[in-house]
Every structure is written in structure tokens, then in C-alpha cells.
Amino acid sequence: MKKMILDVDTGVDDALAIAYAVGQSDVELLGITTTFGVAPVEYSYRNTKSVLGSLNKDVPVYKGSKEPLKRERVHDGKIHGNDGIGETLGYVEESETITKDAVDFIIEQTKKYKSDLIIVTTGPLTNLARAIDKEPQIMKYVGRIVTMGGAVASPGNVNKFAEANISVDPDAADFVFKSRLPITLVGLDVTRKTLLNKDNVKEWERIGTSSAKFFAAFTQFYLDAYKKIHPTLKGCALHDPLAVGIALYPELVRTIPMHIEVDLSEEVLGRTVENTNLEDTEPNTLVCLQVDSKRFTEDFFNKVNNILSV
Ligand code: BDR
Ligand code: CA
């Protein structure tokens, strides 16, 4: 059984990644940690719990970072909605629900499972950076970190250079890349090649369970947003589910080891680049550059359609 923590900013495609992860028979999802990102952390926490509730899955959820390490939080709601989940769940009251802090949960589970643990991140890297900063000696034992973020050989999605998860907290990402932990970077280079289209949403409407209808509703919002932003793309990208897929089936992608850095200069803030000008150019990241989209999307829809049918 593979042990996994999902660190999310739920988020439409984070919700799809959660369904895909809980639909796997050989994964023990130890917990889901949440962060700000596409919406404030109160929203990603609530959205995560609602998604799990709709799937009838009892997985512990922890609230984490409210804001980036050094900068102001920005979010515009255009792609995922103001509530982060396609305007299906609406406003959340600020609450002081006491749960174990996400960062402490990550540290505790890494101490317990060491190299058996895979951490998949599908939001900004703030929780992970804080865990590494707090307990570097424990975090160095983690088995793998699979991160949805960055764009190494293709354009960004917040601007020409930067991808959203890196861009909202570039300092956290910079810190994580410098930590020398075993990172696999699942960037736009591959995630833009794994798409969901309107027929997939129609299929969930046809399945007709309450979870399938909920998934169809929030995914339709995301599809519509993609249509405006990327009129030539034939669907919306399965960014976050692909990170789960690669964590479980590394053979889905071809990777190249590189020394990745996060650009922190204002003009190209958040760009993920290979730096070959340093004295120490030892690779710190496996960068995914080619993906077997057919195999991934078949597995994704098989498992998600199954779980939405129950
Ligand atoms: C990433 O940003 C978020 O909008 C998505 O959930 C995904 O994690 C894509 O750039
Ligand atoms: Ca996300």
C-alpha cells in the first residue's frame, strides 16, 4: 500500500485529483492538507471536506497556510470561481475550527513513514516550505514529492513566464527547490496535454448520482473558463489529477533531471528555469517533459467515473 498526503488548494482540478486518489485501491491517503491558493484557505478546507463528503470518504483534512511566505495573497476567481469550486458552494464564514495544523501533520507523517511517504502538492508550496523550514532533519527522509507546478519548456498560465502555483508563492517554491528533497515537477509542459472535455462532463450528468452531478456542475464552470482563456484548446487541463497519476505510475512520463530554480526578479517572477550557470548544477528536480496522455486519461476517467457511480 502506498502512503500518500495530498497538499491542495481545492480548486476544481484539485477536487478531481482528490476523487482520483480516493478511487485508487492501492493507496492509503493518510490525510489531505490545505492551503490558500485559488481561494482563501477557509474555502479550500471547506471545499475539500465537501468533496470528500460527496464521495462518502472519511479522510482527515487539515487547515494550513493562510498566505504566502513574504508577499500578499492574490486571487481573482476567474478559473475556479470565487468560492474556488465553480460557484457551487458559495460563501464561507471565517471559522476557528481547531484541527491539527497542516504543517505539523506533514512533519508527523514524514517522521512516521519516511521514504514510504509520497507527498503530492497541487497548490502553492507554502505548507511544504514551512514544514521543511521547521523540521529539515525530518523532512529530508520523505520518499518523493510530486509537485504540480511550473512550466519549464512551455509558456506560463498567469503570464508568459509563470505558472499559477509557483507564482502565488514564489519564495516558498524557491525554498523547496533549494532544499534538495526528491522533487518530480509536473508542470504545464505535460498537464496541458491531458484534457477533460464536454463529453466527460455529460457522462457525469448521465451517471446522475449526487456526487456526479456536483462534479459535473463545478467542472462545467472550469470548462467554460478555459473556453474563454484558451479558445483553441479542446477542453480543460487535468493539472492536479496528473500529479496524482505520476505519483502512482511514474512510467506515464519521461523526465529529465535538471537543476531548477525559481526566478525571483520582478520581470519574470515565478518562472521555473534550468540554471546551468551555477557552480553547483547538480540536478535537484525530475522535470516531466512527455506524457502518455491516452493512458493517463483512460485510467483517470475509469476510476473517477466508477467512484461517481456509487
Ligand atoms: C494550477 O493552478 C491552479 O489553478 C490549479 O488547481 C492547478 O493546481 C495550474 O496552474
Ligand atoms: Ca490546485
Side-chain angles (χ1 to χ4, degrees):
M1 216 39 152
K2 293 164 185 139
K3 316 265 183 218
M4 183 186 283
I5 293 177
L6 263 179
D7 186 59
V8 299
D9 64 333
T10 315
V12 171
D13 58 327
D14 304 74
L16 303 178
I18 291 169
Y20 186 40
V22 297
Q24 307 278 344
S25 52
D26 57 347
V27 173
E28 186 185 350
L29 190 55
L30 302 167
I32 302 185
T33 51
T34 59
T35 168
F36 76 93
V38 302
V41 69
E42 298 292 340
Y43 285 75
S44 58
Y45 177 75
R46 183 278 308 269
N47 297 348
T48 303
K49 291 192 77 90
S50 299
V51 166
L52 287 168
S54 83
L55 298 171
N56 255 317
K57 295 286 175 187
D58 194 14
V59 178
V61 185
Y62 303 95
K63 226 185 270 180
S65 306
K66 282 183 186 255
E67 49 198 47
L69 294 185
K70 299 183 182 166
R71 296 163 205 260
E72 274 194 20
R73 187 173 63 76
V74 279
H75 121 254
D76 67 12
K78 279 191 194 138
I79 300 181
H80 299 260
N82 284 312
D83 63 354
I85 192 93
E87 309 296 357
T88 54
L89 295 179
Y91 180 72
V92 183
E93 291 282 345
E94 265 290 305
S95 84
E96 282 309 313
T97 327
I98 307 294
T99 59
K100 187 192 298 273
D101 182 84
V103 170
D104 292 332
F105 178 73
I106 292 172
I107 293 169
E108 172 196 278
Q109 299 298 306
T110 308
K111 192 172 181 181
K112 192 161 171 193
Y113 293 111
K114 300 192 175 66
S115 61
D116 289 336
L117 177 65
I118 307 174
I119 301 177
V120 179
T121 71
T122 65
L125 286 161
T126 322
N127 285 342
L128 189 59
R130 288 176 48 218
I132 299 168
D133 190 38
K134 195 167 176 185
E135 290 292 353
Q137 291 310 321
I138 293 178
M139 292 308 296
K140 74 178 184 204
Y141 291 113
V142 69
R144 287 171 72 210
I145 293 167
V146 182
T147 288
M148 191 285 128
V152 176
S154 58
N157 58 0
V158 287
N159 55 40
K160 253 204 306 215
F161 310 106
E163 180 280 330
N165 286 340
I166 305 291
S167 161
V168 293
D169 195 351
D171 307 288
D174 173 58
F175 185 79
V176 170
F177 283 108
K178 286 185 174 144
S179 71
R180 298 278 173 184
L181 265 50
I183 304 168
T184 301
L185 192 66
V186 183
L188 301 176
D189 310 298
V190 281
T191 63
R192 276 206 194 102
K193 293 176 181 150
T194 52
L195 300 178
L196 172 153
N197 63 37
K198 61 179 187 327
D199 294 334
N200 304 122
V201 171
K202 276 201 190 123
E203 176 59 14
W204 294 344
E205 281 162 358
R206 191 201 60 75
I207 291 173
T209 56
S210 59
S211 59
K213 285 197 232 160
F214 177 40
F215 272 62
F218 64 69
T219 307
Q220 187 62 52
F221 183 98
Y222 185 65
L223 253 183
D224 294 342
Y226 255 79
K227 215 175 193 172
K228 285 183 210 139
I229 296 166
H230 300 284
T232 54
L233 212 63
K234 293 189 174 64
C236 56
L238 291 168
H239 302 289
D240 296 345
L242 183 60
V244 171
I246 292 170
L248 301 175
Y249 315 111
E251 66 281 5
L252 282 173
V253 277
R254 273 215 204 152
T255 59
I256 299 196
M258 292 188 200
H259 188 101
I260 291 295
E261 282 203 331
V262 178
D263 231 312
L264 295 177
S265 51
E266 262 336 295
E267 344 52 273
V268 285
L269 185 64
R271 179 169 70 170
T272 40
V273 278
E274 180 179 27
N275 194 336
T276 49
N277 294 325
L278 299 168
E279 253 171 52
D280 172 15
T281 52
E282 188 65 20
N284 59 1
T285 309
L286 289 178
V287 179
C288 300
L289 287 178
Q290 256 186 7
V291 59
D292 187 341
S293 323
K294 186 167 178 290
R295 192 173 147 202
F296 166 70
T297 47
E298 271 172 18
D299 190 63
F300 172 79
F301 287 112
N302 272 337
K303 289 185 177 145
V304 172
N305 292 4
N306 246 334
I307 199 166
L308 293 180
S309 302
V310 184

